[in-house]
Amino acid sequence: MEALDYRSLGLRVGLEIHQQLNTKHKLFCECPTSMRDESPHYEVQRKLRPTQSELGEIDIAAQFEFKKGKWFIYEGYEDSVCLVELDEEPPHPLNQEALDVALQVALMLNMTPVDEVHVMRKIVIDGSNTCGFQRTARVAMNGWIDDEEGRVRILTLSLEEDAARKIIEDDKSIRYRLDRLGIPLIEIATGPDIHSPEQAKRVALRIGQLLRATRKVKRGIGTIRQDLNISISGGARIEVKGVQELDLIPKVIEYEVQRQLNLLKIRDELIRRGVSDFEENYYDVTDIFMNTQSRVIKRAISSGGTVFASVLPGFAGLVGMQIQPGRRFGTELAERAIVESGVGGIFHTDEMPAYGISKEEVEQLKRKVGAKELDCIVFVAADKDKALSALKAVIARAKEALKGVPNETRAANPDGTTRYMRPMPGAARMYPETDVPPTVISPDRIEKLRATLPELPEQKVARFIKDLGLPEDLAKLMVRSVYL
């Protein structure tokens, strides 16, 4: 793909950087902040449900997770996991060591600390927290860092508890380990002031260097995670979760821009074809595939399943269109169906005949559902309820394509592409934590912390050049080294 002019495209990127702190205790109890490799001592099993906010609303993302109906299995250790992590005891007072580190980082980011730190509850019912919410506290606001492409605002810095560690997941349950739950975590959110993929990497590196300068942060894979909020003109804000490698940030942004541009092309082509809306439609087409050579469909039917199909009017050729490297619009339809219904995948006529499905079966399918030349047919082989649920998700996603790019939360893949996770959460997920008293931040405390701020990375570079006689490139390399 040719080089893109990101500023003319209206690219806006905001970073959310999550960094584990290397404190003696967890954020709301006296358990250690170490991860365990040995076999757990016990496990408990739970289910979670969404609750209303103070305004009587239920968050859309929480409702989405609840509909999956999964059990959560939690593994613990008798000597390093307590009743707080199991949600059998109220949280203890806020860890003041962690708060001091957060305040120091805020000062290095030119931020204004709050007068009082109030803990909030953020509803999260994907099982990653036993109580169904994550505790988070705003510590500072309105800072900035300078970059060669311009100043980037630092909107907020929060102190929160890390989530439980996911071990394995299947159709019915998710297994978590509680050693990570409650480890103090700093969340730093920038403004949407980043306008190129490389700038995003530089800003993330700069913030990471300031965090490491405290010598109070954990190191290694999984201890720092970057979420990216990405949009372009005419597109939508997409939150990409879980970018762990610094070098992957530019690629994720590049591929998300490609994705949004291609989704806008699909929208424009649908408009050109006169598609503005269509009715939901579901057809039982099991009889067409009774003698199919498709192993997937044959296995589904032999186990008592069915084959249901839906017509997407005007979508022919667009479902098979590539929107990211190795990913087509049909991939997005399939992911929505898989996440929301639990099916193994979908078929569509843009890729037929294939997978053991013959040309004759495709023609019969088109005749039975009355498909026209520019229509695409999507079909699913599963038990009836799952198949209909999958097609309902496909149709909902296809209707979103008529408007362009839907707001959603996506997960980063190792190659920089992304996959669907869940709808974008709303404001209904936050409400006050009543078990943890507020902490007053006195001016004296701030001044003491300001007087003991660590040496900044650029100060280290200058000192290495002056005192050690190192060339500039070697001095910068040392400052970036894990052995510093």
Side-chain angles (χ1 to χ4, degrees), residues 421-442:
M421 281 184 70
R422 58 176 178 264
M424 189 79 77
R429 68 193 305 215
M430 295 285 284
Y431 61 103
E433 167 59 79
T434 54
D435 288 330
V436 180
T439 300
V440 175
I441 306 298
S442 69

Side-chain angles (χ1 to χ4, degrees), residues 390-436:
L391 289 176
K392 188 176 184 68
V394 166
I395 289 176
R397 178 64 187 89
K399 288 191 173 188
E400 290 172 351
L402 302 175
K403 300 176 182 178
V405 185
N407 287 104
E408 60 190 22
T409 300
R410 302 179 65 81
N413 295 320
D415 63 353
T417 60
T418 58
R419 64 187 184 277
Y420 176 74
M421 281 184 70
R422 58 176 178 264
M424 189 79 77
R429 68 193 305 215
M430 295 285 284
Y431 61 103
E433 167 59 79
T434 54
D435 288 330
V436 180

Side-chain angles (χ1 to χ4, degrees), residues 21 99-111 140 154 157 186 188 207 210-212 214 217 453-454:
L21 301 185
L99 181 55
D100 277 345
V101 177
L103 287 167
Q104 279 203 317
V105 173
L107 293 173
M108 288 192 288
L109 291 169
N110 308 296
M111 303 184 77
I154 308 296
L157 184 148
I186 286 180
I188 298 168
I207 294 174
L210 293 176
L211 287 165
R212 290 193 294 274
T214 67
V217 300
L453 288 179

Side-chain angles (χ1 to χ4, degrees), residues 240-419:
V240 180
K241 305 284 283 187
V243 183
Q244 294 194 17
E245 297 179 22
L246 193 67
D247 291 337
L248 195 60
I249 290 176
K251 188 63 69 177
V252 169
I253 296 171
E254 176 189 340
Y255 285 166
E256 177 57 27
V257 171
Q258 288 183 25
R259 175 179 167 272
Q260 293 201 28
L261 288 173
N262 285 319
L263 290 176
L264 293 174
K265 288 179 183 178
I266 289 174
R267 178 202 63 187
D268 293 344
E269 178 60 22
L270 289 169
I271 293 172
R272 192 190 69 78
R273 294 180 183 184
V275 183
S276 58
D277 198 7
F278 59 92
E279 298 293 325
E280 292 186 21
N281 58 91
Y282 308 99
Y283 301 90
D284 187 339
V285 294
T286 310
D287 59 312
I288 293 174
F289 297 97
M290 294 305 294
N291 297 310
T292 187
Q293 295 304 304
S294 168
R295 288 181 292 179
V296 173
I297 296 179
K298 186 184 296 184
R299 185 165 57 248
I301 294 175
S302 65
S303 60
T306 58
V307 184
F308 271 81
S310 292
V311 179
L312 304 182
F315 277 79
L318 301 179
V319 177
M321 177 176 166
Q322 180 170 286
I323 58 174
Q324 283 185 327
R327 298 174 60 82
R328 306 179 185 279
F329 181 59
T331 313
E332 298 224 342
L333 298 180
E335 286 173 347
R336 189 70 69 91
I338 291 166
V339 169
E340 297 195 12
S341 71
V343 297
I346 65 172
F347 298 97
H348 58 84
T349 50
D350 271 10
E351 59 183 359
M352 297 292 140
Y355 309 111
I357 298 169
S358 67
K359 183 178 180 181
E360 291 73 20
E361 288 168 331
V362 173
E363 293 302 320
Q364 289 181 55
L365 181 63
K366 290 180 178 179
R367 287 195 297 271
K368 182 155 187 174
V369 303
K372 299 181 175 63
E373 182 181 357
L374 287 179
D375 296 345
C376 182
I377 306 169
V378 177
F379 52 106
V380 179
D383 67 69
K384 182 178 179 180
D385 290 342
K386 267 192 175 183
L388 291 174
S389 176
L391 289 176
K392 188 176 184 68
V394 166
I395 289 176
R397 178 64 187 89
K399 288 191 173 188
E400 290 172 351
L402 302 175
K403 300 176 182 178
V405 185
N407 287 104
E408 60 190 22
T409 300
R410 302 179 65 81
N413 295 320
D415 63 353
T417 60
T418 58
R419 64 187 184 277

